[in-house]
Amino acid sequence: MKQFLSTLREIRKYPAAIVGLLIVSALVIFAVVVVINIPYQEAIRLWRGGEEVYGRNPRNVPPKWFNWFREDDLPESFELIEGDNGVTSTVETTKGGTTIKTLSFEFDYNYTAFPQDVVFYFKSNFDVKEPFVAMTWVTPDEREIRLGNFGTGPTLTFPVSQDDQIRKKVDGMMPNVGLFDDPEQEGEQVLQGTYKVNLEAITFEPGSEINVEMLVLGQVYGWAGTDHLRRDLTLPMMWGAPIALTFGLLAALGTSVTTMIFAAIGAWYGGVVDGLIQRITEINLVLPFLSILIMVGTFYSRSIWTILGVTIALSIFTGGIKQYRAIFMQVKESTYIEAAQAYGAKDGRIISRYLIPRIIPLLIPGLISAVPAFVFLEASLALLGIGDPVLPTWGKTINDAYQNAALYRGWYYWILEPAALLMITGLGFAMLGFSLDRIFNPRLRGL
Amino acid sequence: MTSIAENVENVPVDVQKKKQQTLMTLKRVIKYSGVRLISLFITVVIGVYLTIMIANMGGYVDTMMKAEIQERITMQIQMNPAFQNMDPATRKELTEKEIQNEIKRLNLDQPLLLRSVRFLRNALTLNLGRAMNLSSDSGSRNVRAIILERIPYTLLLMGTANFILFFTTLFLALALSRKYGSFWDKIIIGLSPTSSAPSWLYGIFLILIFAAVLKILPFGGVIDAPVPKDFLGRSLSVLRHLILPASSLIISQFFYSIYNWRTFFLIYSSEDYVEMAKAKGLPSRDVERRYILRPTLPTIITAFALLLIGTWTGAIITETVFQWPGLGRVTFRAIGLYDTPVIVGTTIIYAYLLAITVFLLDIVYALVDPRVKIGGGGEPKK
């Protein structure tokens, strides 16, 4: 405890250590909060749930906070349903069970950018004859554009941007642009003002009802934007933290501790055991680390736990074992070890109680400095397309972005967000580890 | 004459003793080198054999490839209009025959153990064989041709990056260790954690800035399309494509490398004999050259040798991000196509280079470091 306090006091002298410690603790707290609030199953549902989970998000749009740095805001998505402000509806029933429902959606559009799409969702119940709708688009300057007349079936999704008929009516522009375009101005300029959609829905059977929703898809979404499948990137950004931390910490811990134990055993027993460990280390040096990981990922299993196990197994017999061995060789000669031998302590006891504890102050900085390498390793594997198949991670987001040429198409947020988070995580651990190394390592003290 | 004869008579005892000693040392050197060579060779053999087994996943890849062959050939024969009118039995027979042929072509009919031993023998004699699926740009299936075709690109990229990195950081660190505690020194220490990020991450940032936003450098690849006609144009084009990947490799190591060397030099420059040399009033250049660089030479040589090896292997991910057609990318593609010969081929070259370097290092150490006396210092105690 006393030693711990003095270490803390020592850390205060290094600003980098404080920043690193803050980043690391913030990340750990963040990761815990994320896992508690969005449990594993829920995260997978949100990430792989399909259209019903994220089908109503805009595609490939930057996060909302982009607007804070822009003079003219990009449009945000909004939905209009019956009963909302701006939606009026009248129902008229005629003889023979035919019902005419007249709906009018009214909304103000004061952005300078066009929306990504306008989508209508129809939902109805009927026995034989499907309902029929007719829609008209009314611009602020009172132009009327027919959007279409069609039967809806039990459910129908009608995105205007996909409709060639509308496209023809607005001079070949994309419908989501053409419907909002100001014809008086050169080029594509938004006509600001109040838009209206008049909709007549006719049902032909008693008891047959129809529900209509209108959705205007904006150009910004959520805290992290969306990807090519309309998925909210907030989830991988948040869930990336626990995964990166778990992988990084477990791999670093597993590697350093096992390396240390093997080094201690080798140094203590010497002879054949030591020689064997040295030879294994040399063989391991010949093996292509990343290639083997990629092979395991491609041929065998992409599960993050398999990769973690292989990573640790391959990282035990590396250069670190020689460093630890050198230190153990020194410690081995100490008089207190001799004393322990004199009172009859067994080999196992000497290794675990006398050798290993001596080296722990050196282990901690090494362990923390090793974390970023493993965090980035996980991201690297994901970037090569062999990340965990179910979990959303930072590396996988970069991979998705890369596959979709995000940099080329200007979707910078898609790559920058996970890259920045990876960078912050890596820097946090590295800063802390470096400073601890300078505190604990007597040769570096003061340098 | 007599005096000389007397001298000669006196001297031989000394010379003989010396001769004997040299002979002993020579014997020790040969014995040591022999043992070292054998142990390194065994290391390479085991390492390569392990790689062969891993690249085959202990036979799992065979099953996968057989299934793939079966599906491909069945499809081929079904789709071929020439066989449309054949009766099902004959067609089935034909399919079966074709599948067996293909399996035989890839030697999948022999047990893995047998094949792995043959792989090993061929690999060790650098008889790298033929690739299963990959082919070189010139169309050859020869693994050696595939690897040789990629090596220049990897050497160009890694060589440029590593040499610039090694020498700039070494000399900057030396300069910095002289001005210990200065503003620049603190800056370098502060920036050293940036090296925890891998080069591809910096690569992405560089592509974003210089290719996507500023549009002054290409996104990736190795040369413009269409390829410039004259030599100068080609060189300039390659150079332009080289800037971003090389910079990303350099940046990712730069500050930590300087910090490391600087700390290393500082530790050595605080030794007593350096203080002594300074106290004697030797010029700082001499102090640096004779008292700091000389004892650190083995470490510098080791670092340089390891750097040379690293240059050969290429960087799988950086090459992938920049679409640089080097060894790293060919390894990655080979893995994706289960192309064991290519994977083993790249590994064996790396293993050999590593073993040779380690062996040479042992000898170089003995040459530059007087402390490393082969067979331990002095006579063994009785």
Side-chain angles (χ1 to χ4, degrees), chain B residues 72-104:
Chain B
R72 183 159 47 87
I73 292 192
T74 314
M75 282 300 282
Q76 247 172 32
I77 290 184
Q78 260 174 18
M79 300 309 253
N80 194 336
F83 300 131
Q84 289 291 338
N85 296 325
M86 216 176 244
D87 67 293
T90 326
R91 194 155 64 182
K92 203 170 170 202
E93 206 176 299
L94 181 77
T95 314
E96 205 50 45
K97 219 174 99 192
E98 288 282 307
I99 290 173
Q100 289 312 324
N101 274 345
E102 180 73 5
I103 285 178
K104 216 167 200 168

Side-chain angles (χ1 to χ4, degrees), chain A residues 262-320:
Chain A
F262 275 112
I265 291 172
W268 179 248
Y269 289 106
V272 183
V273 182
D274 193 29
L276 192 69
I277 290 175
Q278 300 262 34
R279 290 295 92 73
I280 295 177
T281 311
E282 276 174 14
I283 292 171
N284 199 30
L285 210 64
V286 174
L287 295 178
F289 176 70
L290 194 58
S291 294
I292 289 181
L293 271 187
I294 297 172
M295 282 187 235
V296 170
T298 321
F299 301 160
Y300 186 58
S301 159
R302 289 207 215 155
S303 148
I304 199 164
W305 304 113
T306 314
I307 298 283
L308 180 67
V310 177
T311 305
I312 294 177
L314 287 175
S315 313
I316 293 172
F317 294 101
T318 46

Side-chain angles (χ1 to χ4, degrees), chain A residues 107-127:
Chain A
F107 59 92
D108 290 331
Y109 195 84
N110 294 321
Y111 297 103
T112 50
F114 293 98
Q116 192 173 67
D117 206 346
V118 180
V119 192
F120 294 92
Y121 297 92
F122 301 96
K123 211 179 194 173
S124 62
N125 58 321
F126 58 89
D127 286 330

